[in-house]
Amino acid sequence: MSSTTVTTVFAVEGMSCGHCERTVSAGLAALPGVTDVLADARAGRVTITGEADEDEVRAAVDRAGFTFAGRI
């Protein structure tokens, strides 16, 4: 039996430094089904590995104080 890894990239506005990346990553990593998060402030995006509900991602980004700008 093989498993498929799902990777989704979302645009996040307002991240400007490593602290911002860690803040967003921590909030997203706590979501059910998320196995890995890579936030890139320079590119303004977050890459999530695992099953992530887009509404939950949006809410977590909002809670972290940043702006969810959709799927890339």
Side-chain angles (χ1 to χ4, degrees):
M1 176 183 256
S2 66
S3 65
T4 303
T5 301
V6 177
T7 302
T8 311
V9 181
F10 297 99
V12 176
E13 298 172 353
M15 295 187 298
S16 61
C17 64
H19 181 265
C20 296
E21 292 171 344
R22 288 187 296 279
T23 300
V24 170
S25 293
L28 294 172
L31 295 177
V34 172
T35 58
D36 192 42
V37 177
L38 176 63
D40 184 341
R42 268 200 170 141
R45 68 180 177 216
V46 176
T47 303
I48 297 175
T49 303
E51 296 293 330
D53 177 79
E54 191 166 334
D55 289 334
E56 290 181 2
V57 171
R58 177 185 303 277
V61 169
D62 288 346
R63 280 192 302 273
F66 300 93
T67 303
F68 179 86
R71 189 181 298 245
I72 296 177

